[in-house]
Amino acid sequence: MKHMKVGGLMSDDVVSAVPATSFREVAKLLAEHDISGVPVLDDDDHVVGVVSESDLLARHELTARELMTTPAVTVHAEETVADAARLMVRRGVERLPVVDEEERLVGIVTRRDLLCVYLRPDTEIRRRIREDVLTDTMDLPENTVDMHVLDGVVTLEGRVRRRSQALTLVGLAERVDGVVAVMDRLSFHEDDTRLASSTRTPGDISW
């Protein structure tokens, strides 16, 4: 399945600082560019830290070297938007410097950038599920199920051959970029999951 990558959303016009940048200069950068933080780069463009508004408010050291939070929380351009969003939530940050394979800065992505994914048009979500999930991944005809998408909420209706297919379809649809939730109204002819569990012998159980 195709997932939107960080590199497709990031801005490559990054406002940054160096360790010797003064407190006043960092504050001026944030105000002039209306941003909440800047990455701090060494001479090789490696991200060595990040200075945020909260860093400025909490301390009054003279330079970015003393102000910055380190190590910096970064993300690679090839990582998915979903992974980047989870990282932001887990680490409590509002922006992520984007780095290349050599950990050099190539861009920056913000929470606002990532939220754009969830504004994906319903028609595009429907098309991606039909093409990427039904056709490419599950090798099923596009008209296998009825699909309705409203404000990112996907409703799947219809009848498939096996229960395992229904479970897989719902799980994959939930992972499509822009999907908020999936309403499962699918039915099936055969419950192959029950058959699989009933044929398992005690020796098959992993403790």
Side-chain angles (χ1 to χ4, degrees):
M1 284 179 58
K2 302 171 185 175
H3 290 282
M4 191 173 294
K5 302 297 178 65
V6 170
L9 288 178
M10 72 179 190
S11 169
D12 55 10
D13 183 18
V14 187
V15 178
S16 61
V18 297
T21 303
S22 69
F23 178 101
R24 185 180 180 86
E25 289 172 326
V26 172
K28 186 177 179 181
L29 285 173
L30 298 188
E32 286 183 346
H33 297 277
D34 191 25
I35 54 179
S36 60
V38 291
V40 182
L41 310 182
D42 65 12
D43 293 338
D44 296 318
D45 286 338
H46 294 132
V47 182
V48 294
V50 173
V51 178
S52 66
E53 290 174 327
S54 58
D55 292 324
L56 293 178
L57 293 173
R59 301 192 296 273
H60 294 282
E61 283 80 358
L62 296 179
T63 67
R65 180 180 288 105
E66 291 81 34
L67 286 166
M68 67 186 184
T69 299
T70 185
V73 181
T74 61
V75 66
H76 287 88
E78 289 304 307
E79 293 188 48
T80 67
V81 168
D83 287 338
R86 282 191 286 268
L87 179 60
M88 277 189 178
V89 171
R90 188 167 68 248
R91 300 301 295 271
V93 296
E94 295 185 1
R95 56 183 53 231
L96 291 171
V98 184
V99 296
D100 62 15
E101 295 82 359
E102 297 180 351
E103 303 300 318
R104 290 190 175 93
L105 183 73
V106 294
I108 199 157
V109 66
T110 66
R111 287 192 179 191
R112 183 177 299 176
D113 295 329
L114 300 186
L115 284 174
C116 290
V117 173
Y118 293 97
L119 299 179
R120 200 174 198 179
D122 292 337
T123 53
E124 175 65 10
I125 293 173
R126 185 183 300 109
R127 185 171 70 86
R128 289 268 62 89
I129 295 176
R130 290 203 182 281
E131 294 180 5
D132 294 350
V133 176
L134 284 171
T135 304
D136 294 347
T137 304
M138 299 188 66
D139 197 25
L140 294 172
E142 288 189 4
N143 61 355
T144 299
V145 298
D146 293 325
M147 185 187 319
H148 306 280
V149 185
L150 180 62
D151 295 334
V153 178
V154 179
T155 301
L156 299 174
E157 297 180 292
R159 194 173 184 86
V160 294
R161 182 175 179 181
R162 298 186 300 274
R163 185 186 181 194
S164 60
Q165 288 179 314
L167 295 174
T168 300
L169 175 54
V170 171
L172 292 176
E174 288 175 337
R175 294 171 53 193
V176 170
D177 293 328
V179 171
V180 175
V182 176
M183 306 296 292
D184 178 10
R185 296 178 181 171
L186 296 169
S187 58
F188 45 86
H189 293 284
E190 175 189 345
D191 187 352
D192 56 333
T193 60
R194 179 179 300 176
L195 178 63
S197 62
S198 66
T199 57
R200 181 180 295 169
T201 64
D204 295 327
I205 300 176
S206 177
W207 299 97

